[in-house]
Amino acid sequence: MAESGSLPTGFGELEVLAVGMVLLVEALTGLCLNSLTILSFCKTPELRTPTHLLVLSLALADSGISLNALVAATSSLLRVSHRRWPYGSNGCQAHGFQGFVTALASICSSAAIAWGRYHHYCSRSQLAWNTAISLVICVWLSSAFWAALPLLGWGHYDYEPLGTCCTLDYSRGDRNFTSFLFTMAFFNFFMPLFITFISYRLMEQKLRKTGHLQVNTTLPARTLLFGWGPYALLYLYATIADVSSVSPKLQMVPALVAKTVPTINAINYALGSEMVHRGIWQCLSPQGSGLDRAR
C-alpha cells in the first residue's frame, strides 16, 4: 500500500479516478440486477422452487461482490483526496474476508446450479427442497471456512496495488501462501469448474438425444474462466516468480474483470429466464403489485 500522503506506485490521479469510476459502474450495475432477482424471488410465489433457491444463493453472493466493489470504488475516489485507505487495517481484513466469502460462494453456487440443472433435465424430476437447502448451506459454510483461514494465519489479506481494496496477499509467494493457494484453488475453483463443465456436457448430450437443446451449455463454464481465470493466472504466477515484475496496473486487471461477474451471472441465470422475467415485471409493474396485494 502507498504511504499516507502519496498515490500508489505506478498510478496517477486520473488513473485512480478511472479505476474508481469503473468499479462504481460495475458495483451499481451488479447490485441493481441482482437486487431485482432477489426481489422477484421474494415476491413471486412461482419462483419459490428448489431450483430457483440456488439462483437466489448466487444472486446473494453476487450482490456481496458488488457491495465489495462499491467499497473499493468509494475508496478509489477518496484516495485522490485523502491519499490513503480510509478504513484502517481491520477494515482491510474485513473487506478481504467479505470479498473472498462472496467470491467463493458465487463460484460454488454456479456449480450447484449446473448440477441442479443436470439433475432436472437428465432425471426428469424436480430438485427436492432438502437437497437444495443442503447445497446452499454447504456452499456458504465452505466459503466462510476458506475465507476465515487467512484471518487465522494460513494465507493473509492485504491491499491490492491501488490500495483501494483488499484480497489475498500474493506478493509474498512464500510456502504459507503457496500451500493455501493450491489447496483452496483445488476445492473452490477447479472442482466447481469441473462440476459445471461436466454437468452441462452431460446435459447437452442428453438433450441432443431427445432433440431438445434449450439451454446454453458452454456459457456458465466460460463465465467462470473469464471472471476468475485472471486471478488464477496471477496467483499461479506469484507462486513461481516474483510478482513485483508485473506492473501494478496489470495486477489490477483481475480485480476489475472479477467485478463484472455479478452482472454476467444476473443476465445469464436470472434475466435469461422467462419465469424470472415475469417475476421482475410483476414486482415493478403496478398491476403486478396489485395482484400480490389481492392475494
Side-chain angles (χ1 to χ4, degrees):
M1 176 186 175
E3 294 179 359
S4 179
S6 65
L7 287 170
T9 303
F11 294 92
E13 285 192 2
L14 287 178
E15 291 164 331
V16 175
L17 282 173
V19 171
M21 292 305 298
V22 171
L23 287 169
L24 185 62
V25 171
E26 291 176 329
L28 294 179
T29 305
L31 276 174
C32 289
L33 294 180
N34 284 286
S35 294
L36 284 174
T37 303
I38 295 169
L39 183 64
S40 65
F41 181 89
C42 295
K43 293 185 66 89
T44 309
E46 292 83 359
L47 292 177
R48 295 171 198 160
T49 65
T51 301
H52 284 100
L53 179 65
L54 302 180
V55 178
L56 175 65
S57 174
L58 178 64
L60 290 171
D62 286 341
S63 295
I65 295 175
S66 296
L67 285 173
N68 190 271
L70 186 61
V71 172
T74 305
S75 303
S76 299
L77 300 177
L78 291 175
R79 184 77 194 231
V80 176
S81 57
H82 291 77
R83 297 289 198 269
R84 62 184 176 83
W85 166 263
Y87 309 113
S89 178
N90 290 335
C92 176
Q93 298 301 303
H95 187 253
F97 172 78
Q98 187 270 345
F100 204 30
V101 167
T102 51
L104 295 181
S106 176
I107 294 171
C108 294
S109 291
S110 296
I113 291 172
W115 181 86
R117 290 184 173 180
Y118 161 77
H119 178 273
H120 171 71
Y121 282 101
C122 294
S123 68
R124 298 298 180 184
S125 61
Q126 291 291 335
L127 193 66
W129 270 109
N130 59 347
T131 302
I133 293 172
S134 298
L135 281 173
V136 171
I137 291 174
C138 286
V139 162
W140 284 94
L141 286 181
S142 173
S143 301
F145 169 77
W146 286 101
L149 291 177
L151 299 177
L152 301 175
W154 197 18
H156 181 67
Y157 293 121
D158 204 353
Y159 306 98
E160 292 197 339
L162 192 60
T164 58
C165 51
C166 296
T167 186
L168 283 178
D169 182 13
Y170 52 84
S171 63
R172 302 182 185 187
D174 55 14
R175 183 176 298 177
N176 179 282
F177 166 75
T178 302
S179 61
F180 174 74
L181 173 69
F182 281 109
T183 308
M184 179 276 300
F186 175 78
F187 287 105
N188 296 282
F189 180 70
F190 292 109
M191 278 190 63
L193 181 62
F194 176 78
I195 291 171
T196 301
F197 177 77
I198 291 298
S199 295
Y200 280 107
R201 286 293 294 174
L202 293 175
M203 184 170 63
E204 181 182 20
Q205 292 175 5
K206 179 72 173 180
L207 291 174
R208 279 181 175 173
K209 288 180 180 179
T210 59
H212 299 287
L213 186 59
Q214 302 171 338
V215 294
N216 189 327
T217 59
T218 60
L219 183 59
R222 289 179 180 178
T223 300
L224 286 178
L225 282 175
F226 169 79
W228 306 107
Y231 259 133
L233 289 175
L234 180 61
Y235 287 169
L236 178 62
Y237 183 82
T239 64
I240 60 178
D242 183 5
V243 78
S244 62
S245 61
V246 181
S247 71
K249 293 175 185 175
L250 192 57
Q251 291 181 47
M252 283 301 300
V253 170
L256 295 177
V257 172
K259 298 303 188 291
T260 65
V261 170
T263 299
I264 297 173
N265 281 342
I267 294 172
N268 181 29
Y269 290 103
L271 300 182
S273 167
E274 183 179 346
M275 186 176 292
V276 177
H277 267 160
R278 203 179 310 128
I280 292 174
W281 176 249
Q282 288 179 11
C283 293
L284 296 179
S285 65
Q287 293 87 350
S289 299
L291 287 175
D292 288 341
R293 285 193 295 270
R295 290 174 183 174

